[in-house]
Amino acid sequence: MRDRIAVLRTLDPAEPGLTDLAPLRAVLAEARVVGVGEGSHFVREFTLARARLLRYLVEECGFTILAFELGASEAAALNPWLAGDGDDADLPRLAGPLTAGLFGELLGWLRRYNRSQPHPLGIVGIDLPNTLTLRPDLQPVADYLRVVDPEAAELLDRMFPVADEITGGSAAVSAPQWSALDPARQDALTAGLARLSLRMQALHPVYLSRSDPDRYANARRRLDAACHTAYMLRAMSDLFSGEDLPGDTSIRDHFMAATVQWHLSAAGPHARMAVVAHNNHIQKTPVRFDGKLTALPMGHYLAHNLGREYRAVALTHTGDRVPEMAFPADGSPVGFTVEEVDVPAPVPGSVEQAILDAGFTGEITLTDVRAAESPLTSIRTQSAAVETDVRQAFDTVLTSPAATRDDTVTF
């Protein structure tokens, strides 16, 4: 194992030299899509590592598309700011509290990085809205339908009163709001969205005769996102009540994978994309907890469809504490707070224990896990661990000796 571990000098993305990341080049040689993970949200070290990894992918490997675990509308609202518009302090207003908490420091780094670049880097959103609300995707659909299909626009307008009762700052708030709706109203909204989706597919030639292909494709994707959001509201409501179906959250990850491939196809055969998402989304193997299937993750679908052109870089740590979400939390705009909690010591067979066994107790390391001699059977996720064949789930694991709370998170 030791001969597969490289020691990194720093996590600082402003450090000029990137040569210590050179072991990645062989791992990523054939990749068109690289997942850049994190083992827990709201971790300062993971944010720094991601920024440095993105610099390496852009500057040394020619990656041109940065995809984030957020919705299309959220990304579109942020791109002018990332390119230099407005003030640094505008981010919370543009992003909302959850996105600012999840990615604020990383987005701030990207805005500063763009100041030195001739062509500023933007981002694309490949997820459902972080708020798990419907208005962000339905409003562009309504605007489009008013031009190409006014009757269908009227149908959508009748759905807005129900959709607008979902106003939460995260799934922790939005899913209970969905639960509080009368089941008949839930079903009417779901059925209405399905009807619009099928109509938009069937009337494709009519819509194209009244608009251009790009506007049609954008509206189709936004409506598809809204349909998935409605499903995920129900799925998360069931999860919080303990009545979830095994693997139900795969619907979200399948959407994410399809969106990644849509962007990749639209960008052309030479495009390379970095996907910034949680380890549990980028891993190639099914996500299971206590033996129960939680999800087929985005990385599972990407690995199946892209083969060796998809690579996954996980981020983990060997510390004894980690930021964790504590909910419910009355008064929090996102329904939870972030608190540092103790985590169990790494267990035998875990990638973290393998790092420690190799003698790396305080170093930042980069490990090619694909052909590790001994089985690696788990990796930390949040304050727990997911049991999986790490050698199949990821290609490389970056390990920090600590995982401390991002002190810019406001909740």
Side-chain angles (χ1 to χ4, degrees):
M1 180 74 172
R2 189 179 178 86
D3 63 347
R4 299 186 174 277
I5 301 174
V7 175
L8 303 185
R9 290 192 308 273
T10 181
L11 291 177
D12 184 359
E15 216 278 339
L18 296 171
T19 55
D20 56 337
L21 292 173
L24 280 174
R25 184 175 293 277
V27 178
L28 308 180
E30 300 177 74
R32 295 189 66 205
V33 177
V34 172
V36 180
E38 61 177 353
S40 182
H41 294 310
F42 314 114
V43 173
R44 177 178 179 273
E45 289 81 2
F46 293 165
T47 295
L48 294 172
R50 283 172 146 184
R52 197 153 185 265
L53 287 168
L54 290 179
R55 258 195 69 205
Y56 181 80
L57 292 174
V58 169
E59 295 178 10
E60 302 295 328
C61 303
F63 280 69
T64 56
I65 306 171
L66 305 184
F68 275 58
E69 184 186 332
L70 45 74
S73 294
E74 293 165 311
L78 289 168
N79 276 324
W81 181 83
L82 290 171
D85 285 3
D87 299 323
D88 290 355
D90 290 339
L91 178 61
R93 175 180 59 81
L94 295 169
L98 182 56
T99 297
L102 287 168
F103 298 115
E105 282 295 281
L106 185 57
L107 293 169
W109 166 80
L110 184 55
R111 175 178 163 91
R112 294 189 297 274
Y113 180 78
N114 277 337
R115 289 172 182 155
S116 64
Q117 303 304 306
H119 304 291
L121 291 166
I123 62 173
V124 296
I126 49 90
D127 199 356
L128 306 176
N130 279 331
T131 55
L132 211 61
T133 55
L134 292 156
R135 173 68 76 161
D137 285 308
L138 287 181
Q139 186 60 58
V141 176
D143 295 341
Y144 177 74
L145 290 177
R146 290 190 218 293
V147 175
V148 301
D149 192 350
E151 293 81 7
E154 292 177 5
L155 175 63
L156 180 51
D157 285 341
R158 293 197 292 273
M159 299 181 206
F160 275 123
V162 181
D164 286 344
E165 292 190 38
I166 312 300
T167 60
S170 78
V173 181
S174 294
Q177 290 176 337
W178 171 267
S179 300
L181 291 175
D182 182 273
R185 301 182 76 208
Q186 296 174 348
D187 292 344
L189 178 62
T190 302
L193 292 174
R195 180 183 179 188
L196 279 179
S197 179
L198 293 172
R199 179 176 175 83
M200 187 172 280
Q201 293 177 54
L203 294 184
H204 175 215
V206 175
Y207 286 13
L208 285 187
S209 72
R210 299 171 181 175
S211 72
D212 62 81
D214 287 344
R215 292 189 65 201
Y216 172 81
N218 181 62
R220 273 287 306 276
R221 293 225 51 88
R222 294 300 187 87
L223 182 55
D224 193 34
C227 291
H228 281 75
T229 298
Y231 188 102
M232 286 306 301
L233 283 165
R234 191 183 298 269
M236 294 304 294
S237 176
D238 289 347
L239 179 66
F240 291 145
S241 68
E243 300 176 355
D244 54 308
L245 298 174
D248 218 15
T249 58
S250 304
I251 280 72
R252 174 188 172 195
D253 279 88
H254 185 268
F255 173 84
M256 293 169 71
T259 305
V260 165
Q261 294 197 247
W262 183 83
H263 280 291
L264 199 64
S265 176
H270 302 296
R272 305 184 84 183
M273 176 189 292
V275 180
V276 180
H278 195 283
N279 285 354
N280 289 159
H281 291 306
I282 69 164
Q283 76 179 62
K284 304 175 189 181
T285 53
V287 177
R288 300 179 188 273
F289 290 100
D290 299 323
K292 178 181 177 181
L293 177 65
T294 299
L296 297 179
M298 169 181 62
H300 176 82
Y301 299 110
L302 292 175
H304 176 76
N305 293 331
L306 296 176
R308 297 171 63 88
E309 291 185 327
Y310 175 68
R311 290 288 183 258
V313 180
L315 273 59
T316 189
H317 70 100
T318 53
D320 55 9
R321 290 176 66 79
V322 73
E324 184 58 284
M325 294 170 281
F327 59 87
D330 293 338
S332 169
V334 297
F336 60 87
T337 57
V338 177
E339 303 174 4
E340 285 198 2
V341 300
D342 294 334
V343 291
V347 299
S350 67
V351 67
E352 295 84 9
Q353 188 59 49
I355 296 293
L356 295 175
D357 288 344
F360 299 96
T361 57
E363 294 90 350
I364 306 159
T365 58
L366 191 66
T367 306
D368 183 345
V369 297
R370 294 172 298 173
E373 298 85 355
S374 301
L376 299 173
T377 55
S378 73
I379 187 170
R380 284 175 163 177
T381 182
Q382 298 300 126
S383 56
V386 60
E387 294 185 357
T388 192
D389 184 342
V390 177
R391 297 175 299 183
Q392 296 296 319
F394 305 105
D395 298 283
T396 299
V397 177
L398 187 152
T399 306
S400 164
T404 57
R405 187 184 190 276
D406 179 347
D407 60 11
T408 67
V409 177
T410 58
F411 43 82

